[in-house]
Amino acid sequence: MPASRVQTAAFYEVKDLAAGEAVVLITVADPKLVMESLNLQLRDALAWETRAGPEGFRTRVVRREETEPADVVDLLIRDHHRVDELLGKALRRLNVADVAGAQPLLAASAAGLRRHIRVENEILAPMLPQPIGMDGTSHTAVMLREHDEILAQLAEVEASLGLDAAPEAWEVEPFVAILSGTLAKHEHREESNLFPHWAAALRARPAAEQKSLLARVRAMLEAATADGA
Ligand SMILES: [Fe+2]
Ligand SMILES: [Fe+2]
């Protein structure tokens, strides 16, 4: 097909990639840029490997969550997506007035968020560079301040759930919506302002240290999955 249509065609092939599924794309030109742009469109959900062969370029695409995380930053980004998804599902339950259905999702989001913030505040912020933005503010200081804000909003969600024995969806939903919006902006800022610096600093460390830090962070984040449903 014409080169101009390759990206759209590839998008429809990979956008609903199911767990355990792989799509193989065969293209005439190197699909590096096409894949990067698709991955951006799909919020970093893809992992792929391209090989040049006699038939052109053969690219095998899978869901990124099914591959081993490349480094600590990759792990944090995946954890952002996981918590976003949990909150999104909780919001959808609340939108149909299903508070009981939202409750375990909110509990899992809360546990996950607290673990994630602990990793960023206590393990990573102290050991990694503290880059300064164009306006002179420290990206790390912004991150820490936003974490406090997120924890306060999370407490509001929990307070709304504890209002009475059976809270109404409309008593809870606005607080979850505010938290979800704050979190999305925070994650975007982290991923664009801070994580590139963290990733570069981590890559400069000895391989053994990178490996042990990855294992440590992973254990801390996964504890949230285990105890938070
Ligand atoms: Fe954060
Ligand atoms: Fe984060």
Side-chain angles (χ1 to χ4, degrees):
M1 65 181 63
S4 60
R5 286 187 47 211
V6 168
Q7 178 152 343
T8 311
F11 176 78
Y12 284 106
E13 290 302 325
V14 301
K15 78 176 174 60
D16 297 318
L17 205 54
E21 222 175 53
V23 165
V24 174
L25 304 169
I26 295 170
T27 50
V28 177
D30 186 344
K32 188 173 184 287
L33 293 178
V34 168
M35 287 311 303
E36 280 169 6
S37 143
L38 279 181
N39 192 35
L40 212 62
Q41 257 178 297
L42 296 170
R43 278 209 71 195
D44 232 7
L46 306 177
W48 64 94
E49 216 177 22
T50 300
R51 291 214 174 104
E55 60 200 341
F57 291 84
R58 197 182 168 86
T59 304
R60 188 169 185 277
V61 190
V62 296
R63 284 156 65 125
R64 192 215 260 255
E65 64 196 27
E66 286 169 21
T67 60
E68 277 299 298
D71 54 25
V72 167
V73 165
D74 184 11
L75 208 56
L76 292 174
I77 294 176
R78 291 177 191 214
D79 203 51
H80 286 169
H81 295 174
R82 192 183 74 82
V83 174
D84 289 349
E85 243 172 71
L86 283 170
L87 274 182
K89 278 187 195 158
L91 268 177
R92 285 195 288 280
R93 293 326 311 158
L94 293 171
N95 285 337
V96 293
D98 177 11
V99 179
Q103 244 152 354
L105 296 162
L106 290 170
S109 313
L113 260 176
R114 290 198 171 99
R115 296 271 181 173
H116 186 101
I117 287 177
R118 234 187 99 206
V119 166
E120 287 175 340
N121 284 11
E122 294 172 22
I123 311 286
L124 301 174
M127 68 178 282
L128 291 169
Q130 310 212 342
I132 304 294
M134 301 266 269
D135 59 355
T137 56
S138 153
H139 290 314
T140 309
V142 171
M143 176 189 83
L144 296 173
R145 196 179 60 226
E146 289 178 350
H147 285 169
D148 288 343
E149 202 181 322
I150 288 164
L151 292 173
Q153 292 182 359
L154 185 58
E156 301 249 31
V157 169
E158 289 171 330
S160 74
L161 279 168
L163 276 180
D164 48 57
E168 298 285 341
W170 57 263
E171 293 177 292
V172 179
E173 196 270 348
F175 296 104
V176 179
I178 290 170
L179 173 64
S180 164
T182 304
L183 193 62
K185 278 184 226 142
H186 168 72
E187 289 168 343
H188 178 74
R189 262 194 289 274
E190 263 179 8
E191 289 174 22
S192 34
N193 296 337
L194 202 51
F195 286 4
H197 295 277
W198 281 9
L202 286 166
R203 275 195 301 273
R205 302 208 170 209
E209 195 188 321
Q210 291 184 41
K211 211 174 139 195
S212 70
L213 184 67
L214 181 65
R216 185 174 174 210
V217 168
R218 197 174 193 174
M220 284 181 76
L221 295 177
E222 277 171 6
T225 321
D227 65 27

